[in-house]
Amino acid sequence: MKRILLVLALSTITLCGYSQKKDWAAFGRYEKANQEVLASGVRPDVVFMGNSITDGWAGKDPEFFKKNNFVGRGISGQTSSEMLVRFRRDVIDLNPRCVVILSGTNDIAQNNGKIKPENTLGNIISMCELAQANGIKVILCSVTPTSVFGWRKDINPAPLILEMNKFIRAYAEANNIYYLDYHPALTDEKGGLPAKWSHDTCHPNLECYRTIMEPMVCEAIDKVLKTPKKKRHTPMPVK
């Protein structure tokens, strides 16, 4: 009996220690980078908030971000809940003129368990309201297409993404927020990204970012920020 109690006690201590060390929302991911942005004294034009789609974008085409005074704050695997928790540190504190929010894929993949579409939308709405309350304009993106989650093959994401996008579009239109609909431009006949633009139907490659997503988001940013044509954010050409 004493041995069992000892094992339970040690297990509890281990779990407590782990929970204390775990940075659930990944505040630490961009802590240093945020300090550098603030120290530069340059206000970002745009912060891109998102998951692996945004994370991969900044990683694959850093010049696009640097050249246009954009800041990437995507974290692979994150759900809308995690993005909402870190929104103040990774967006509001940087005081950008605009935020591009791309969220929902990992909610559909149930990365943190099941969540109803209306609750995902609630997290996205909260991010929008936080931005607007702090004088930051919002561009709200559709969830990009996926026909299969490589890490959750038991889920059929294509119809769920369409449902989620209906929620996002309706909210954006009802609240005069720019809705950036990537989905029709990126979807193949199976409901995912075509092979020429992705290795897994989910994550865009550099050609996809530069050919499709960069021109679309630049057009949206120019409209929202009323950017003069001579200062247009020009995407890098595909090499």
Side-chain angles (χ1 to χ4, degrees):
M1 185 64 179
K2 289 182 178 179
R3 181 175 295 179
I4 294 174
L5 291 173
L6 178 60
V7 170
L8 288 172
L10 290 173
S11 298
T12 301
I13 292 170
T14 300
L15 288 171
C16 289
Y18 174 75
S19 64
Q20 289 170 356
K21 292 178 181 179
K22 182 176 174 60
D23 181 8
W24 175 73
F27 287 107
R29 167 70 187 277
Y30 291 110
E31 184 175 7
K32 182 179 178 181
N34 289 343
Q35 291 171 353
E36 291 172 351
V37 171
L38 294 173
S40 73
V42 178
R43 184 187 188 189
D45 279 344
V46 183
V47 170
F48 286 62
M49 166 59 80
N51 47 47
S52 59
I53 310 299
T54 301
D55 199 354
W57 195 343
K60 287 181 171 67
D61 204 356
E63 189 174 355
F64 171 71
F65 284 78
K66 183 177 180 181
K67 177 181 178 181
N68 293 297
N69 192 28
F70 298 161
V71 173
R73 290 296 180 264
I75 296 181
S76 180
Q78 283 208 334
T79 63
S80 61
S81 302
E82 291 157 313
M83 291 181 209
L84 174 57
V85 170
R86 65 182 177 89
F87 196 83
R88 183 170 299 279
R89 291 291 171 262
D90 287 348
V91 178
I92 295 172
D93 287 356
L94 301 183
N95 190 32
R97 298 172 66 198
C98 177
V99 60
V100 174
I101 301 173
L102 176 52
S103 179
T105 296
N106 293 314
D107 293 58
I108 293 169
Q110 300 178 18
N111 281 19
N112 277 334
K114 291 184 179 180
I115 179 170
K116 293 181 179 179
E118 54 266 37
N119 292 329
T120 296
L121 180 66
N123 290 333
I124 293 172
I125 289 173
S126 293
M127 285 189 269
C128 293
E129 291 177 344
L130 282 168
Q132 292 171 326
N134 286 274
I136 301 168
K137 296 184 181 298
V138 178
I139 294 172
L140 192 51
C141 303
S142 64
V143 180
T144 51
T146 308
S147 58
V148 62
F149 293 128
W151 65 101
R152 284 303 305 270
K153 292 184 178 180
D154 57 313
I155 295 174
N156 178 19
L160 301 176
I161 289 171
L162 289 174
E163 180 186 14
M164 190 69 245
N165 285 341
K166 288 180 181 178
F167 278 89
I168 296 173
R169 177 191 285 275
Y171 167 73
E173 291 178 349
N175 291 274
N176 197 30
I177 293 173
Y178 192 105
Y179 178 66
L180 178 52
D181 193 2
Y182 288 125
H183 199 275
L186 295 175
T187 311
D188 66 9
E189 66 280 0
K190 295 180 181 179
L193 287 169
K196 65 178 180 178
W197 289 335
S198 176
H199 71 282
D200 62 358
T201 87
C202 180
H203 297 93
N205 59 23
L206 181 58
E207 182 180 2
C208 183
Y209 287 125
R210 288 185 173 177
T211 303
I212 304 298
M213 297 179 71
E214 289 177 10
M216 289 183 70
V217 77
C218 285
E219 180 182 5
I221 291 166
D222 288 337
K223 287 181 179 179
V224 169
L225 295 182
K226 298 180 173 59
T227 308
K229 289 185 178 180
K230 64 180 180 179
K231 294 183 179 180
R232 180 173 295 279
H233 305 280
T234 305
M236 301 296 295
V238 178
K239 295 181 181 179

